[in-house]
Amino acid sequence: CPLQLQKAYYAAAEQYFQAEDYDTAAEYFLLAGDYSDAYRRATGCLYAPAVAAMEEGDYARAASMLEKIQGYQDSKALLTECIYQQGAALMENEDYEGAIAFFEQVPDLQKAQEALQECVYRPAKALMTEGQYLEALALFETIAGYQDTDNYINQIRYEQAMSSMAGTMRRMMEEM
């Protein structure tokens, strides 16, 4: 009987709660569904520890809790911030592809969109410094208008044209 199962989950959740195992208690309260005040209790078990995890900088743990209670208070906004912060940490460690994966999860967050562009800009500048102009150009073109990318795009295209013209001039001289 579903009601009996809900009661059993609720009772188990209460035991985990008393033992201060809030993550497990929350799981069982959620499994209890609409029985009694199960949802309220689950959110209580997850929200405060999630906020504490955020304050400690453990954004992955906080996000995993907040995902379960997105409709509770400001949990959705906090989850968005956790996702952003995980991307920011990867960006700081120059894991731009990893950072992009997080920033793309929060398309409505302006600072994430700016960070996305920066995650393309930095590798493009590095490629340019290494003399890999075509690869740099391909990246810069995806973020045209960001910072000084248009200058870099023009510079690379100018150098390509000059190089092409020099090659043409060399071939013409050789043919004479």
Side-chain angles (χ1 to χ4, degrees), residues 4 12-13 16 23 29 34 47 56 59 73 78 80 91 96 98 101-102 119 123 129-130 136 146 149 162:
Q4 295 293 58
Y16 285 115
D23 289 340
F29 278 128
D34 61 358
Y47 185 81
E56 295 166 7
Y59 297 105
Q73 291 184 6
L78 294 177
T80 298
M91 186 175 159
Y96 299 114
F102 280 98
C119 284
T129 302
E130 295 166 6
Y146 179 72
T149 56
M162 293 304 288

Side-chain angles (χ1 to χ4, degrees), residues 36-109:
S36 187
D37 62 347
Y39 182 75
R40 183 188 63 77
R41 299 283 308 274
T43 55
C45 288
L46 292 171
Y47 185 81
V51 170
M54 284 182 74
E55 290 170 357
E56 295 166 7
D58 190 349
Y59 297 105
R61 195 173 116 230
S64 73
M65 289 184 261
L66 292 166
E67 284 174 347
K68 298 170 187 165
I69 57 168
Q70 292 184 47
Y72 183 73
Q73 291 184 6
D74 61 347
S75 293
K76 190 168 185 162
L78 294 177
L79 175 60
T80 298
E81 183 64 20
C82 287
I83 293 168
Y84 170 79
Q85 290 298 335
Q86 289 175 85
L90 291 171
M91 186 175 159
E92 192 67 32
N93 290 322
E94 298 181 7
D95 179 356
Y96 299 114
E97 288 182 25
I100 287 170
F102 280 98
F103 295 143
E104 286 177 339
Q105 292 178 47
V106 287
D108 296 333
L109 188 63

